[in-house]
Amino acid sequence: MSYEEHIIKKLMAHGPVLLKGGRGTGKSALMREANRRLNENGLGSSAIGIYLSLRHLPLLRTRGKQYEVELLRILIDKISKESYEKYNFNFTSEPEVYEVHKELVRLSEHVSKRIVLFFDDAAHIGREAALEEFFDVFRTLSSSNVSCKAAIYPGVTRFGNRFDIYNDATVVEISRREDQEDFDQFFYMVMQSRFQEELNEKNFSINVKEVASFLGQSVVGNVRSYVKACSILLNTEKTIGFPILSEVMLELSRDYYWPMIDEIRLKIGIYEALIEPSENLAEIVYQHCGAKNMTSCIIHRSIVNRVDKALEILEYTGFIARREVSRGMKSGGRGTRFVLNLCNLLEVIPGTRLTKELFDQWSKREGEDVQFSQNSVLSFIDWPEIPEDKNLSILELPIEKLKKSDMFPYGITDNKLEILKDHGYDSVGKLAEASDEEILRIDGIGEKSLERFKSVLGQAIWM
């Protein structure tokens, strides 16, 4: 699609780029595709790509100079391995940013190509402690020889004093908006390509393209959630009409969206105290919009400024999506416009079922936005104080939490859990902090078990 192609070209081109988007919008997929194209073009490419995920526990637990050193060590290890294997180049550097930059320039001159560094998972909601150090490194490494690209979530504001967001990088935002020209076609194409075997258009009593577009709108344009919706929808032998669509949407609300809030509670650090008021905010917004069958609302900017982090949590979990920053309000002043997840909205409308009339109304996005003025009910929600520091709660949980389950379908077996506990790894944090060498020294634990542990830990700790 032209939308994705435009972003991929930006990621492959000269200059630093911040790829901004919420959970499940496809940031990682776009960065990996840009990296693949650079490296598969061979002699036809003017640059080489180096993709690096920053899902490393030491980066969560350090800050300041220590964070910078850990970040550079991870980067050096990655570049050293790839540059030797692919270009017979010995990349050696101390974990000091200017030394790393000089070595990158030397690598660039050796291959006669520009270096593109893809930093995935660079900035997370709830993980802002070390962002200033990251953006200092990002800015310093960027040059005519080195193009830095980083994936960040909305709401990241701690860029640091030396990083000017308007001059030191181009911000490319991923947003699947229902008013985009190719919105309908994109989600139909995803359904066709991801579910070739399951998709039988003869099973639909509603136009399948309209269903694809409606589901895309229902999950506020989030691709990951849309794939989840399609997997439920197409796992039936019944004729797919409004009753089946209703069941799918309600199942997503009950078993996917609300549980996701509980899941990130353990991973959000200092903002854990905001989970309950965020849920209260969502319930109020949905009740007011559901009473009028409206799919969007405008919240006065004074309230948005006060509860912005809670709104980011709701954006991250897919309950809402920010569409306009400033819109005039009837009661005076300006507010931010949000569209609502239709799966959660269906749960609170009278009758709790999708009818043809409702389907048509929501598809056409008819009606006025519900407005929450400066003195509305949202202004009376209590907001707790945010601590300066807090460990991730997931790290403090017993190791049994990583057992194979609905949350961790590829989790750790009972036998391996007992072996780990016998060797002192009785919490998620202790296992996460152990080195590969320490784990492999345990009798009964091999490379395959180690990879499974790392996979489950990644799912448990990262959002």
Side-chain angles (χ1 to χ4, degrees):
M1 301 294 285
S2 59
Y3 183 75
E4 281 75 22
E5 285 299 319
H6 171 73
I7 295 175
I8 290 169
K9 287 177 181 177
K10 285 272 189 183
L11 291 172
M12 295 169 64
H14 277 279
V17 170
L18 297 180
L19 186 60
K20 183 179 178 182
R23 170 195 163 277
T25 50
K27 299 185 300 297
S28 295
L30 290 168
M31 295 189 92
R32 288 194 183 102
E33 176 61 16
N35 181 63
R36 184 192 68 79
R37 292 189 189 184
L38 286 174
N39 293 325
E40 286 195 355
N41 281 345
L43 296 175
S45 174
S46 62
I48 60 173
I50 297 174
Y51 172 88
L52 179 66
S53 171
L54 298 185
R55 291 190 171 203
H56 292 262
L57 190 60
L59 298 180
L60 289 180
R61 317 197 71 173
T62 55
R63 60 185 64 194
K65 188 63 178 178
Q66 188 180 359
Y67 172 92
E68 179 182 309
V69 170
E70 290 290 347
L71 172 63
L72 292 173
R73 279 177 179 161
I74 294 167
L75 180 60
I76 291 166
D77 288 345
K78 178 71 172 182
I79 300 174
S80 296
K81 182 179 179 181
E82 292 203 10
S83 62
Y84 184 77
E85 290 178 353
K86 296 178 180 178
Y87 309 106
N88 196 29
F89 179 86
N90 289 314
F91 187 98
T92 56
S93 173
E94 293 297 316
E96 199 283 321
V97 65
Y98 291 103
E99 292 299 318
V100 173
H101 180 259
K102 284 197 298 184
E103 195 69 355
L104 279 167
V105 172
R106 199 165 72 87
L107 172 60
S108 174
E109 292 171 347
H110 174 78
V111 297
S112 300
K113 294 184 179 184
R114 181 169 47 91
I115 311 296
V116 183
L117 298 178
F118 296 100
F119 294 100
D120 200 2
D121 301 300
H124 293 261
I125 181 173
R127 314 279 175 87
E128 292 112 332
L131 292 188
E132 294 185 19
E133 287 75 29
F134 171 79
F135 287 112
D136 279 349
V137 171
F138 182 94
R139 178 177 178 273
T140 304
L141 294 181
S142 299
S143 67
S144 58
N145 297 86
V146 182
S147 300
C148 291
K149 321 289 179 174
I152 64 173
Y153 283 101
V156 174
T157 55
R158 297 187 185 179
F159 292 105
N161 296 327
R162 291 189 291 271
F163 189 89
D164 185 344
I165 185 63
Y166 298 106
N167 294 315
D168 290 332
T170 299
V171 178
V172 176
E173 187 160 0
I174 306 176
S175 177
R176 282 284 166 201
R177 300 172 60 107
E178 23 325 292
D179 56 0
Q180 284 176 335
E181 193 172 308
D182 66 347
F183 184 89
D184 297 352
Q185 180 61 28
F186 173 80
F187 284 103
Y188 178 56
M189 182 197 70
V190 172
M191 183 182 285
Q192 283 184 310
S193 60
R194 292 293 295 268
F195 298 93
Q196 292 180 19
E197 295 182 5
E198 298 91 337
L199 180 60
N200 182 353
E201 298 193 15
K202 293 180 181 179
N203 289 344
F204 286 74
S205 64
I206 317 169
N207 183 288
V208 66
K209 291 184 179 180
E210 291 181 6
V211 171
S213 176
F214 184 79
L215 279 180
Q217 180 188 352
S218 297
V219 298
V220 293
N222 187 284
V223 179
R224 186 184 304 172
S225 300
Y226 175 75
V227 170
K228 175 70 174 178
C230 288
S231 68
I232 300 172
L233 178 73
L234 300 175
N235 186 30
T236 180
E237 295 180 358
K238 298 179 182 178
T239 299
I240 296 175
F242 298 116
I244 295 297
L245 268 179
S246 286
E247 291 177 15
V248 170
M249 294 170 70
L250 293 173
E251 182 177 339
L252 281 170
S253 177
R254 180 183 62 249
D255 299 333
Y256 183 69
Y257 286 108
W258 286 108
M260 196 185 306
I261 292 239
D262 289 331
E263 181 184 341
I264 74 161
R265 183 192 307 268
L266 303 171
K267 310 177 184 184
I268 206 165
I270 61 173
Y271 299 116
E272 186 175 332
L274 286 181
I275 294 296
E276 187 174 339
S278 297
E279 291 176 324
N280 293 339
L281 190 155
E283 289 170 353
I284 292 170
V285 168
Y286 273 96
Q287 289 293 342
H288 280 69
C289 292
K292 298 182 179 180
N293 286 352
M294 292 295 103
T295 63
S296 57
C297 68
I298 301 174
I299 302 177
H300 194 279
R301 62 184 177 187
S302 64
I303 298 176
V304 171
N305 290 339
R306 180 170 173 241
V307 303
D308 198 44
K309 189 58 66 175
L311 290 169
E312 287 174 26
I313 291 171
L314 295 179
E315 281 188 88
Y316 176 83
T317 48
F319 278 68
I320 59 175
R322 201 173 304 227
R323 291 294 185 246
E324 294 176 55
V325 174
S326 182
R327 172 78 81 87
M329 302 184 68
K330 291 179 180 178
S331 59
R334 305 192 72 81
T336 299
R337 180 174 175 271
F338 297 90
V339 295
L340 275 59
N341 177 314
L342 303 187
C343 303
N344 298 85
L345 187 60
L346 184 64
E347 237 186 355
V348 297
I349 66 162
T352 320
R353 67 188 181 92
L354 185 67
T355 62
K356 183 181 186 305
E357 292 72 27
L358 191 60
F359 179 89
D360 291 340
Q361 179 186 338
W362 283 358
S363 297
K364 295 173 184 176
R365 298 176 286 281
E366 296 175 341
E368 295 185 357
D369 304 297
V370 174
Q371 301 196 6
F372 294 92
S373 65
Q374 188 171 6
N375 297 313
S376 67
V377 62
L378 294 183
S379 64
F380 297 101
I381 298 177
D382 290 329
W383 299 98
E385 291 292 323
I386 304 301
E388 291 187 7
D389 195 18
K390 185 185 184 305
N391 200 18
L392 304 186
S393 293
I394 186 68
L395 298 176
E396 299 166 359
L397 294 181
I399 192 73
E400 285 84 358
K401 288 294 182 181
L402 300 182
K403 182 178 178 178
K404 190 172 182 178
S405 63
D406 289 340
M407 182 175 290
F408 301 116
Y410 303 104
I412 302 176
T413 63
D414 289 336
N415 173 256
K416 292 296 189 288
L417 284 172
E418 288 302 317
I419 293 174
L420 289 170
K421 287 167 63 178
D422 288 344
H423 286 79
Y425 299 104
D426 56 0
S427 72
V428 175
K430 287 181 181 178
L431 180 61
E433 291 171 346
S435 67
D436 291 358
E437 292 74 19
E438 289 172 329
I439 298 299
L440 289 173
R441 281 198 291 267
I442 301 174
D443 288 337
I445 302 295
E447 292 284 352
K448 287 186 178 180
S449 296
L450 174 64
E451 288 306 310
R452 171 168 282 202
F453 296 166
K454 291 163 76 171
S455 175
V456 177
L457 283 168
Q459 185 183 355
I461 295 171
W462 298 92
M463 296 194 291

